[in-house]
């Protein structure tokens, strides 16, 4: 893939950038550039380019605005103490976007092109990658959208893949504290044959009202059950779940209707190295309630790129509440191990890190 570059003539100046990077928040400040490549059936992927960051001009009939044919990814670039910049398993994001693309009837972007696009944007905007202190990073958002202007319902014949980036501060301000959860029995995330395993905006659109309910109930986040039996734990709005037992067993809900988190699968490998075999299986809400009530479940944690790993506290539902597990020892050990690999402070035994700068 040949990438042309048009540098921005209105880049954020050093003083303003320092101010932004001192307190980046999440997803509010975009870098100076963006990557774009387009697809049509005749030309395939073409016109790959880095251009100044800016708004898109769109025909109001553009398909993505009507039928939500879109997929996205979420990943980060990390700066090490020696100044180098690295991404974490970018080819896994590329492959997951291919799976999402398949589900959304999009053409697939080759893995190498996906990784090259991310690398090129991070290189061009490398001054936007914050120093590592305080777990800061550059959040990267690849996305694919249906850009054909046409109101008929069929896969778009014009598709655009873009990458944008935004500096991110630590997910937890003022120390890590457990997230409290609301169990929704009114809404589900994904049914069999649905889009649960695809990273697509529609899943988020349908989760918002449930998340609103969680906040109204005084909880931080919502947890979803399976759509068919309302019995088995799926995941949070944007994080996968792990359950740790006092006898050393560890369970995580099996894939199928959940999003296949790259943090989730990396943790399976890490825990293997720590000597734990993870059971990937259906996990019922009664096992959760009984486990934390009896004390057999000692830890629960949620994981995803944004927060890495976060302890899970109490669980509330319509008519009851289950207590927070007693410990977060393994949770914090797993978290530290992952963060240390990402920032280059520990040996990358799995070969997960990819150097960009
Ligand atoms: C992105 C996402 C996750 C976490 O995936 P990671 O690859 O670990 O960041 C979990 N659940 C949902 C619904 C997601 O969209």
């Amino acid at each position: 893939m040949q990438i042309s570059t048009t540098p921005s003539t209105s880049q954020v100046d050093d003083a303003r950038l320092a101010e932004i990077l001192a307190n980046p928040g999440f997803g509010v400040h975009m870098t100076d550039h963006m990557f774009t490549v387009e697809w049509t059936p005749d030309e395939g992927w073409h016109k790959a380019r880095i251009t100044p960051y800016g708004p898109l001009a769109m025909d109001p009939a553009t398909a993505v605005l009507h039928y939500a044919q879109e997929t996205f990814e979420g990943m980060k670039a990390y700066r090490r103490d020696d100044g180098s910049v690295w991404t974490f398993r970018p080819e896994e994001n590329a492959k997951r976007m291919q799976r999402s693309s398949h589900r959304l009837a999009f053409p697939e972007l080759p893995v190498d092109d996906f990784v090259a696009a991310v690398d090129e944007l991070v290189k061009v905007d490398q001054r936007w990658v914050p120093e590592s202190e305080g777990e800061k990073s550059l959040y990267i958002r690849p996305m694919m959208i249906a850009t054909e202007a046409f109101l008929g319902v069929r896969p778009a014949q014009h598709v655009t893949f873009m990458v944008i980036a935004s500096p991110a501060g630590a997910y937890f301000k003022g120390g890590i504290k457990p997230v409290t959860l609301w169990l929704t029995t009114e809404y589900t995330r994904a049914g069999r044959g649905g889009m649960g395993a695809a990273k697509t905006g529609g899943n988020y659109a349908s989760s918002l009202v449930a998340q609103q309910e969680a906040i109204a109930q005084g909880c931080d986040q919502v947890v979803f059950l399976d759509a068919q039996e309302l019995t088995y734990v799926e995941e949070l709005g944007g994080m996968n779940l792990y359950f740790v037992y006092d006898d050393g067993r560890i369970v995580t809900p099996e894939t199928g209707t959940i999003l296949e988190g790259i943090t989730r699968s990396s943790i399976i490998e890490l825990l293997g190295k720590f000597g734990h075999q993870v059971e990937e299986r259906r996990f019922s809400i009664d096992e959760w309630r009984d486990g934390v009530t009896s004390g057999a479940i000692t830890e629960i944690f949620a994981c995803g790129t944004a927060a890495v790993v976060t302890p899970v506290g109490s669980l509330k539902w319509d008519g009851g509440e289950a207590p927070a597990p007693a410990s977060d020892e393994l949770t914090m050990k797993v978290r530290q191990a992952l963060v240390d690999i990402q920032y280059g402070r520990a040996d990358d035994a799995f070969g997960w890190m990819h150097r960009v700068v």
Side-chain angles (χ1 to χ4, degrees), residues 283-300:
F283 185 82
S284 76
I285 190 65
D286 287 338
E287 285 180 272
W288 182 335
R289 290 181 181 127
D290 296 348
V292 288
T293 304
S294 74
I297 290 177
T298 52
E299 304 183 37
I300 304 174

Side-chain angles (χ1 to χ4, degrees), residues 235-296:
E235 61 172 314
L236 311 188
M239 282 195 272
N240 298 119
L241 284 166
Y242 272 86
F243 302 86
V244 181
Y245 280 87
D246 55 0
D247 60 6
R249 277 182 303 136
I250 300 175
V251 183
T252 192
E254 66 186 4
T255 58
T257 49
I258 65 166
L259 200 283
E260 298 170 9
I262 294 161
T263 318
R264 173 189 178 279
S265 66
S266 303
I267 288 171
I268 293 176
E269 293 188 55
L270 262 184
L271 286 170
K273 210 175 94 177
F274 294 164
H276 299 276
Q277 170 83 33
V278 175
E279 298 170 32
E280 294 183 75
R281 62 169 173 86
R282 297 209 289 184
F283 185 82
S284 76
I285 190 65
D286 287 338
E287 285 180 272
W288 182 335
R289 290 181 181 127
D290 296 348
V292 288
T293 304
S294 74

Side-chain angles (χ1 to χ4, degrees), residues 21-22 79 81 130-136 343 345:
L21 296 187
R79 189 181 292 282
D81 293 338
E131 299 296 327
S132 63
E133 49 87 31
E135 279 185 22
K136 287 177 189 166
Y343 287 99
R345 296 177 193 129

Side-chain angles (χ1 to χ4, degrees), residues 75 88-96 111 114-115 262 351-352 354:
M75 53 199 290
F88 179 75
R89 311 187 77 182
E91 64 295 331
E92 294 301 314
N93 294 94
K95 287 190 252 173
R96 185 170 65 192
V111 168
F114 178 103
V115 174
I262 294 161
W352 284 339
H354 170 82

